[in-house]
Amino acid sequence: MGMNQTPASERVHIGFFGKRNAGKSSVMNKVTGQELAVVSDVKGTTTDPVYKAMELLPLGPVVMMDTPGIDDEGALGGLRVKKSYQVLNKTDAAVLVIDGKAGMSREDQALLERIHKKNIPSILVLNKRDLLTEEEVCQTLSSLPEGYQEGKDYLWVSAQEGTGVRELKERLAVLASTEENQKKIVGDLLSPGDFVVLVVPIDKAAPKGRLILPQQQTIRDILDADAVSVVIKEDRLKETLESLGKKPRLVITDSQVFGRVSKDTPKELLLTSFSILFARYKGNLETVVEGARTLEKLKDGDKVLISEGCTHHRQCGDIGTVKLPAWIRKYTGKNLEFSFTSGTEFPDELGEYSLIVHCGGCMLNEREMKYRLSCAEDQGVPMTNYGIIIAYMNGILERSLEPFS
Ligand SMILES: Nc1nc2c(ncn2[C@@H]2O[C@H](COP(=O)(O)OP(=O)(O)OP(=O)(O)O)[C@@H](O)[C@H]2O)c(=O)[nH]1
Ligand SMILES: [Mg+2]
């Protein structure tokens, strides 16, 4: 990848979904102006998701994703449908392509429900307009959900003749931009002039000469809120709190020194951790808290997957492969079976696990993290992360959630 290219993680991912032969590949080709995907009148032409990174006006850098039909049949077909549904977990804006003549089907309804459940901005494309009479147009419109508006919720398109394609691109640009966030890490909890104490242990795990990214981002967020950050090591906490002269709005700590910091922070002060702030920032807090609570339900013989984003950070490795399994065994008192993955490897099939514990994901981009969480959720497997499960086992998760209640 060249220096000037946008990494895949920062590109808007646009997915085309729908039944076989609806014209997904045709519509995508028309939108991009390129013959990216094979088109034919044989049902099930697209058998694997197709990804293509490109510049698309008026959207900018995108990844276009074509998928197999959601109504494919047989054992192999079933696997393809599953793949298409997994692509949803990477999608920022979804195009549901429907054969205009056939109207909306049960499979389309189910897919649309899933898209809504995942809060993915979407548009229905009624394709093959060239084949329809006015009467058939009315018939198809009556198969759409109540209150659907042309231009906003659905569009008529003919991939064959190229009509409606410009409107579709414009609508996609709107959908993709509303997704972008005005989210805050902590700034929404602060007023101008508030003090925030950040506890940053400087141990072997700390990188040389700098702070790690989540710490930098938090300090920046506090500056943006016009508040004051006081950054200290854990052994200075007590004296700092005593000499501050003003009650801090919040104490934020690294999870590794949670136990000590919780003891040194008077009960009337709010305390939380970087991992909790970031889980909230990424919209995962509820999921990972729920995940930690399933520790109570684990039984002898249950399998736990410990998964890290980084492959090279040895310190992280020690926590994942040595400390965490020992702590979890001790906390639950159960005879558990642990599996480990690292880096980009992450199993497709998660069903055998009773719990997944993922590292904070410092080396993984947010999109990949979100994808993994969504896959676990789809398969009904609870997932949590290192910081949250450590706080839980130390008995201070509830206290650390107070700032957000
Ligand atoms: N008349 C007409 N035919 C179209 C239109 N769009 C697609 N087709 C035809 O419909 C057939 C299926 O198109 P594809 O783009 O391969 O459909 P798909 O949804 O990708 O199908 P699978 O990959 O099999 O799931 C092809 O024969 C296309 O030429 C259209 O707007 N009008
Ligand atoms: Mg296709």
Side-chain angles (χ1 to χ4, degrees), residues 27-38:
V27 171
M28 187 180 89
N29 287 348
K30 262 288 179 302
V31 166
T32 60
Q34 299 179 27
E35 299 299 312
L36 298 173
V38 179

Side-chain angles (χ1 to χ4, degrees), residues 378-398:
D378 286 350
Q379 297 179 49
V381 182
M383 182 156 152
T384 186
N385 71 34
Y386 288 13
I388 305 284
I389 201 169
I390 291 172
Y392 184 83
M393 291 188 294
N394 278 311
I396 44 186
L397 182 61
E398 301 308 326

Side-chain angles (χ1 to χ4, degrees), residues 20-26 40-41 44-46 127-128 130 159-160:
R20 288 170 299 172
N21 264 356
K24 302 176 293 298
S25 301
S26 304
S40 89
D41 56 4
T45 301
T46 307
N127 187 33
K128 309 194 186 183
D130 54 291
Q160 175 129 317

Side-chain angles (χ1 to χ4, degrees), residues 197 199 232-242 248 251 253 257-269 271 396 399:
V197 177
V199 184
I232 53 167
K233 292 190 281 190
E234 69 276 20
D235 53 1
R236 296 273 170 211
L237 179 59
K238 244 184 147 156
E239 63 173 89
T240 304
L241 290 176
E242 282 161 11
V251 176
T253 183
V257 289
F258 229 142
R260 168 164 189 186
V261 168
S262 178
K263 265 193 231 113
D264 287 351
T265 306
K267 288 281 168 276
E268 68 272 15
L269 293 185
L271 167 69
I396 44 186
R399 177 178 187 191

